[in-house]
Structure formats: structure tokens, C-alpha cells
Amino acid sequence: MGFFDKIKNAFKADKKAEQEQEELKEEVQAEPEQPESVETVPTADGHTENTADHQLSEPDESVAQPISEEPAPFTEPVAEVEEKEEIQVQKKYEKGLEKTRKTFSQRFNELMANFRSVDEDFFEELEETLIGADVGFETAIKITEELRQEVKLRNAKKTAEVQNTIIEKMVNLYEAEGVDENNALNIQAGGLTVILFVGVNGVGKTTSIGKLAHEFKEDGKKVLLAAADTFRAGAIDQLVVWGERAGVEVVRGNAGGDPAAVVFDAVARAKAENADILLVDTAGRLQNKVNLMNELEKIKRVIQREIPNAPHEVLLVVDATTGQNAMAQAKQFKETTDVTGLVLTKLDGTAKGGIVLAIRNELHLPVKLVGLGEGINDLEPFDANDFALGLFKGLLKEE
């Protein structure tokens, strides 16, 4: 079953649940409240008394009462626990993508309201609408071209039908671009995993490292952090604060010192202490790409002297609220270093979640992690299915 079929089924299930809730509400409001019937029984002196009095009376102590055994502690089946966790993550995605959904809906509603027929003017306006929704120029052109053909084949005329066809094209393109995409982190089994974080200042790089460290620690892994962003004022202290929150140690040097020297010490300590994960924070100065590239290459060489196949991930952190600026940053970093995946932060605080489509279609870089809230537990592994449901389900119309 493809993504669009899953989204349609989820959309129908939501509509059915809403209808059942409405029907139940109407039944409750319509049903008159019945007084509780009380049964009476005659007593020896001719009076009556409530049977409820008998039901509430103390049990006869002369009658032996069965000895109740202590019930066994309830253990929830693993499958049910996993299902609940999956539902919670899906709700996080739906809530996190709420602003993007509303923006998409508003743009589509305005588009549909302005056109009575699907003509060339409509397709031109659709391109502008999609570009404005941050899905990217190439993606907007591709979707519009495919829609031209599809509308002719289906002879789609109704507003809801046309909008659903647009959504279907977006979903199918989103799914097709991610067919060979590996969104899982490359964690080494039984050895040290080194993850390098890159990105410009202010995108949430240090925060993402702290949140990820917390998750690994909760999973029972031994985690170390390396404060290799030695040039930005306060960067080292900020990582130390996050290390304290996550309960993990931070390897640090002096402000303004050599980042590669910090990484060398961190790798040595991680190996000596049999750590499972080493997360490395780096400086992000795009204004001097040559120096940045040289610095990152030096850090890599230091790591590879001790661990030849490391770093196992080079994660580029970008701020989703910046939309197309995030795309520009991603392109520049992709040119200067071997980025293996993206961390998309502040997705819950933006209406520009469509940037994920642009990243998939134009950069062909997998999104590995997404920030869906400000809490320490709100950095989630990217799930293409949950993202598609969270974004597109709310855009479908009843035909």
C-alpha cells in the first residue's frame, strides 16, 4: 500500500470517528434522564425498606469469606506498548506539522476560490502557490506538469477532486524520491559510533546534540560529547549545560583553542572508557568556506587515525523556520563536506515544513532527525510515513 492510500484510509477513519462521536453526542443529548428505580420489600412489622439498604449492609461475619489472593502485577504486552508509542509519535508529527498544514490549506483554499476552471492561468498560479509553500522551484514545476496530464486523464472538474489530485501528486513525488533513502542513524554494533554535527550558528545544533545524547543515555548507552566549537562565545558552556541535563560528560578545551585537539582528546577518552557514542559539536562559519572545509577535514583526519571508518555520520543541522535559506545552507555544506543526512530543527514552530519535499527532490539528502518541540524528548527519528500522514492527511477534501 502506497503513502497516498494510507493517507486516504487515515482520512476516512478520522471522518468516520468524527461522525460516530457526533452521533453519540446527539443520542446522549436526546435521551431523557431516567430516575433510578428502587425496589422495596415488606418487613415483619408491615413497613417497607429499600433493597439497596440490604445491598450496602455489612457482610455476615459468621459466614466464612473466601480468602482473596494478591493479584499478579499487570504487565502490558510488548506489542501494545510499541503500538502506544507509535501512536504518540504520530500525534507529535501531527501537532508539529500543524502550522505547515494550515498554511498549505489556506493557500490551496485561496487558489481554488479564485478559479472556476482548471486552465493555464490556474496552473501558473499553482506553481506560485507551491513555491510559496517552500516545496522548492523544481518540485513545484514537476508537480504542476504532472497535474496537467492527470487532470486531462481524469477530467477532474470539482474543486475537491482537483485539490486531492494535487495532494496525491505531492505525496507520490515525496514517496518516489525517498525509495532508496536510509533515514536510520548509522550506529555501530559493539563499537564506538562517532557522529559529527555541522551547521551555521543559531540553527539548534548544540540543542539537538543534547537531546540526542539524552535519548542514547535513556537507551542505556555510554555517551560522550566533544565541544569542538571553540570559536563561538558561549558555545562550550552551552554544550556543558546540555551535557548536565542529559547526564553525560563533555570533553572540552579552552575557548579559541584548536577544535581538532579537542576531538583528539574526546576520541581517546571514548576509547579508554568503552563509550558507545561520541557526539561532536563543530563551528559553523559559512562566511569563510575554505577555512571551514579545512577545519572539518582536519577533524576527520584526527578521528580516522584512531577509527578508520569514522565519522559514521556527518549530520547537517538546519532550521526549518528559514525555509529556502535552509536549502541554500544545505547546498553550501554539501559542497564543502560529506554530509550523510540532515537534522531539521524547529519543525513545530514553522509553516515551512514543505521544505522536506524540496530537500528530497533537489538535494537527495535523507532527513535523519526532526525537532517536533522544545522538550528534551522532542527530537524524533524522521519517519517518512508519519511525516506524510501528519502533513497531507489534513489537506484532503471530501469528494
Side-chain angles (χ1 to χ4, degrees):
M1 183 187 294
F3 276 4
F4 190 67
D5 290 328
K6 291 179 183 177
I7 291 167
K8 281 198 298 184
N9 290 342
F11 174 74
K12 290 176 183 176
D14 282 355
K15 286 294 178 185
K16 184 178 179 182
E18 286 175 13
Q19 186 178 355
E20 289 174 350
Q21 285 288 336
E22 198 62 37
E23 290 173 356
L24 183 61
K25 187 178 177 182
E26 289 175 2
E27 286 178 12
V28 171
Q29 290 174 342
E31 186 176 340
E33 189 176 343
Q34 298 293 332
E36 187 179 346
S37 60
V38 179
E39 186 180 349
T40 60
V41 294
T43 62
D45 58 3
H47 293 85
T48 60
E49 61 182 18
N50 294 342
T51 54
D53 293 338
H54 292 284
Q55 294 167 358
L56 296 173
S57 61
E58 294 292 326
D60 188 353
E61 292 183 2
S62 64
V63 180
Q65 300 295 323
I67 299 172
S68 61
E69 295 182 1
E70 186 73 23
F74 174 72
T75 304
E76 199 168 8
V78 174
E80 290 185 16
V81 173
E82 290 177 350
E83 185 179 354
K84 284 184 179 179
E85 289 177 351
E86 187 177 329
I87 291 170
Q88 287 175 350
V89 172
Q90 285 175 357
K91 286 182 178 177
K92 272 190 181 182
Y93 269 91
E94 287 193 20
K95 186 178 179 183
L97 290 164
E98 187 175 0
K99 289 185 179 180
T100 299
R101 254 196 329 273
K102 284 182 179 178
T103 300
F104 266 61
S105 292
Q106 184 180 347
R107 289 179 182 276
F108 282 133
N109 289 339
E110 289 174 358
L111 173 66
M112 297 303 173
N114 290 336
F115 288 91
R116 296 188 177 275
S117 62
V118 183
D119 53 16
E120 191 55 38
D121 288 339
F122 171 84
F123 288 118
E124 287 182 10
E125 190 65 28
L126 174 61
E127 276 183 18
E128 294 296 322
T129 299
L130 292 172
I131 291 169
D134 284 283
V135 303
F137 179 77
E138 291 179 20
T139 309
I141 298 296
K142 189 177 289 189
I143 290 170
T144 305
E145 286 301 318
E146 289 186 6
L147 186 68
R148 276 192 177 93
Q149 304 302 319
E150 196 69 23
V151 167
K152 289 178 183 177
L153 287 172
R154 296 188 186 185
N155 194 26
K157 294 178 180 178
K158 293 182 180 178
T159 300
E161 191 179 357
V162 173
Q163 178 161 325
N164 287 353
T165 304
I166 296 170
I167 302 306
E168 183 179 359
K169 288 296 160 193
M170 291 172 70
V171 173
N172 290 344
L173 179 62
Y174 168 82
E175 184 178 19
E177 291 296 334
V179 167
D180 300 320
E181 189 173 88
N182 181 10
N183 301 109
L185 291 174
N186 181 22
I187 305 301
Q188 304 301 293
L192 177 62
T193 300
V194 181
I195 302 178
L196 205 61
F197 285 79
V198 300
V200 300
N201 299 332
V203 294
K205 192 168 48 182
T206 306
T207 301
S208 298
I209 292 170
K211 290 179 179 181
L212 188 59
H214 169 73
E215 289 186 16
F216 283 134
K217 180 76 183 297
E218 289 289 294
D219 289 340
K221 296 186 184 300
K222 168 72 173 175
V223 185
L224 278 178
L225 306 182
D229 184 358
T230 59
F231 298 106
R232 184 166 61 90
I236 297 172
D237 293 336
Q238 186 184 0
L239 191 65
V240 169
V241 170
W242 270 106
E244 290 171 354
R245 287 182 190 172
V248 302
E249 294 292 326
V250 179
V251 179
R252 57 186 295 183
N254 296 323
D258 184 3
V262 176
V263 175
F264 176 82
D265 291 342
V267 172
R269 182 169 168 182
K271 291 179 71 177
E273 296 181 5
N274 293 319
D276 301 301
I277 307 288
L278 174 61
L279 306 179
V280 182
D281 191 11
T282 66
R285 304 184 308 284
L286 269 180
Q287 63 269 28
N288 193 332
K289 289 196 291 183
V290 175
N291 285 353
L292 175 62
M293 183 172 64
N294 291 340
E295 184 181 297
L296 292 174
E297 284 300 320
K298 185 178 178 182
I299 288 173
K300 281 186 186 179
R301 287 197 304 272
V302 166
I303 294 171
Q304 288 171 351
R305 281 185 205 139
E306 299 297 321
I307 310 166
N309 64 333
H312 305 98
E313 292 279 8
V314 178
L315 299 181
L316 171 61
V317 183
V318 292
D319 181 347
T321 64
T322 61
Q324 289 303 308
N325 282 339
M327 275 286 291
Q329 290 170 21
K331 286 178 180 177
Q332 286 180 293
F333 268 96
K334 192 179 179 185
E335 291 171 3
T336 59
T337 190
D338 299 323
V339 176
T340 60
L342 297 180
V343 180
L344 200 58
T345 64
K346 309 175 191 177
L347 198 59
D348 61 305
T350 183
K352 299 180 178 181
I355 194 67
V356 174
L357 280 78
I359 287 168
R360 277 191 154 195
N361 188 44
E362 297 179 30
L363 294 185
H364 306 286
L365 280 172
V367 178
K368 301 268 184 171
L369 300 163
V370 287
L372 297 172
E374 295 181 1
I376 198 168
N377 294 309
D378 289 333
L379 185 70
E380 293 289 341
F382 180 76
D383 186 291
N385 188 51
D386 286 341
F387 181 88
L389 280 170
L391 178 56
F392 297 115
K393 182 176 67 173
L395 302 178
L396 290 177
K397 300 284 186 182
E398 287 190 273
E399 295 181 11

